[in-house]
Amino acid sequence: MQKLIRGFLLLTLIVSAIALPFSTTSLAKTGTVYKVPIHNEVEKGLHAFLKRSFNEAEKTGADVIVLDINTPGGFTDAAGEIAKLMDETEPKIVAYINNRALSAGAFLALHADEIYMSPGSKMGASAVIDGSGNAADKKARSAWSADMKNAAESQKRDPKFALAMANPEEDLPEFRAGKGELLTLTDREAAEVGYSEGTVATYDELLAKIGMEGATTISTDPTFSEQIARFITNPVVVPILLSIAGLGLIVELYSPGFGVAGTMGISALLLFFYGHLIAGLAGYEAILLFLLGAGLIVAELFLPHGIAGIAGAVAVTGSIIMAGANPAYMAISVLIALIIATTGMVVIMKFFGKKLHLLNRMILMDATDTESGYVSNVNRIDWLGKTAVTLTPLRPSGAIVLDGERIDVVSEGNYIDKGKHVKIVKVEGSRTVVRELQEMEGNEG
């Protein structure tokens, strides 16, 4: 019996010894890591990609999200939204600075649970600048410094280095950041001051450092739609796109039929809304408002007084501003587009002598005077000063009734409704110009 027990124990030990390496390997391979790139500029379109990637990581049950960071920086408002997304994400986030994390990139790295850097990489130089590339005003600099300080403190890092990255007034000469200079840390310096957990040369070395050696890695990349959205929503591209839209539609007004300019204008607007919709910046309410505005502008071709056209223009402008995350910046972009479109219109009118073909369908643009070579068989000067009643609305051309005779006339440019009293103020050959009388004056006549 004792021999049987000893034999069983010996067999158990042998089987355990054989199975142990396999069980260790199996345990080492457990876990999932999502590898997400943050390359190029930090802008609004990046937020949509990161949100999708983080959601996928959470649904998959990923243990760690590794942000592969190599960026020169970007826009602070976009960085703020991404940092909030990082703070609300459940899995552990590790920032791997693979070359550089400057400006907004450093801000995002500071929001990660851990930071690792590749040899020769750097982080910092995070001063906020305006759209012209100059240092922002004191208010913006103060707010950004506070954001950098909070980012460092959120992961228990010394905030003085984050402040020196954002504010040149901080004094850290031992790191080449005396007053007037921004702090940029090398990988060794970052590890020295606690802004990095270490320097790793490869991604596999990083996994070993964070205890995920042998884990399954899922790499995510922006889809084609997200790449388009990132390009279109770039604050540099937005005013260019809107300017193309405005100029294309203006040129189309001067062209017979519908051609290349109009197609370019409409395509630019469609791209604008498509990119902002994919990026999650524009809601369907902005698109509906745009369609309403476009409908009112078209309706203006058939309605009097210009109210529909003005309301349509306001609606279209409002929809464009609503489509962006920063209303102030979008308003500036719209203003730039309007200036460019207006300049184009002036150039076409003054230097090329073009006329609005679209308006020619509604408004009598030609004067049939003798200077233009027109000669009337009967010059009815006797009509001057007489009062008549409009037979049709004048838009500004139409018809009146004078002493039972129907006469084709034009107003002085304004709309006059049907059944109104008018005075004939000019007769130039076959062209008769009328002016609407005030109610009192019309009654006296």
Side-chain angles (χ1 to χ4, degrees), residues 331-382:
I332 294 173
S333 298
V334 171
L335 181 61
I336 292 172
L338 288 175
I339 291 173
I340 292 175
T342 302
T343 303
M345 181 174 64
V346 170
V347 169
I348 292 173
M349 291 179 65
K350 296 294 184 182
F351 296 96
F352 294 96
K354 298 287 186 178
K355 294 182 179 180
L356 286 170
H357 285 267
L358 179 63
L359 296 182
N360 280 341
R361 302 171 191 170
M362 300 175 293
I363 300 174
L364 181 61
M365 303 292 288
D366 297 323
T368 54
D369 52 19
T370 54
E371 288 80 2
S372 301
Y374 292 91
V375 178
S376 173
N377 292 330
V378 180
N379 195 0
R380 299 300 302 269
I381 299 177
D382 56 305

Side-chain angles (χ1 to χ4, degrees), residues 5 15 17 60 63 113 125 191 204 223 241 261 282 300 303 355 369 377 404 411 437:
I5 293 173
V15 171
T60 307
D63 302 280
D113 298 297
D204 289 337
T223 63
L241 204 59
E300 174 60 27
L303 297 176
K355 294 182 179 180
D369 52 19
N377 292 330
S411 72
L437 294 175

Side-chain angles (χ1 to χ4, degrees), residues 172-195:
L172 292 175
E174 64 273 27
F175 294 100
R176 307 168 311 283
K179 284 196 173 184
E181 300 291 336
L182 294 172
L183 174 63
T184 300
L185 295 174
T186 66
D187 58 300
R188 292 183 181 180
E189 291 169 341
E192 178 186 333
V193 302
Y195 270 46

Side-chain angles (χ1 to χ4, degrees), residues 179-366:
K179 284 196 173 184
E181 300 291 336
L182 294 172
L183 174 63
T184 300
L185 295 174
T186 66
D187 58 300
R188 292 183 181 180
E189 291 169 341
E192 178 186 333
V193 302
Y195 270 46
S196 166
E197 274 65 43
T199 300
V200 293
T202 64
Y203 176 71
D204 289 337
E205 187 179 343
L206 171 67
L207 292 182
K209 284 278 189 180
I210 62 177
M212 298 299 292
E213 186 176 14
T216 300
T217 295
I218 300 176
S219 297
T220 63
D221 291 297
T223 63
F224 178 74
S225 295
E226 287 169 341
Q227 289 175 338
I228 293 293
R230 287 191 64 178
F231 175 76
I232 290 173
T233 57
N234 189 299
V236 176
V237 175
V238 168
I240 296 174
L241 204 59
L242 293 178
S243 297
I244 292 173
L247 193 57
L249 294 175
I250 287 293
V251 171
E252 186 59 38
L253 293 177
Y254 289 84
S255 305
F258 191 84
V260 175
T263 302
M264 287 179 60
I266 291 177
S267 298
L269 282 176
L270 291 176
L271 276 174
F272 170 83
F273 281 103
Y274 172 78
H276 285 75
L277 184 64
I278 294 297
L281 303 176
Y284 287 104
E285 65 278 2
I287 295 175
L288 291 175
L289 184 61
F290 173 79
L291 293 175
L292 174 63
L296 288 172
I297 291 174
V298 172
E300 174 60 27
L301 303 180
F302 309 99
L303 297 176
H305 307 310
I307 297 176
I310 294 173
V314 171
V316 168
T317 302
S319 69
I320 292 173
I321 293 174
M322 285 176 60
N326 188 330
Y329 182 81
M330 292 305 300
I332 294 173
S333 298
V334 171
L335 181 61
I336 292 172
L338 288 175
I339 291 173
I340 292 175
T342 302
T343 303
M345 181 174 64
V346 170
V347 169
I348 292 173
M349 291 179 65
K350 296 294 184 182
F351 296 96
F352 294 96
K354 298 287 186 178
K355 294 182 179 180
L356 286 170
H357 285 267
L358 179 63
L359 296 182
N360 280 341
R361 302 171 191 170
M362 300 175 293
I363 300 174
L364 181 61
M365 303 292 288
D366 297 323

Side-chain angles (χ1 to χ4, degrees), residues 36 149 215 221 255 352 421 428 444:
V36 184
K149 182 175 183 291
D221 291 297
S255 305
F352 294 96
H421 287 82
E428 296 175 336
E444 290 176 354

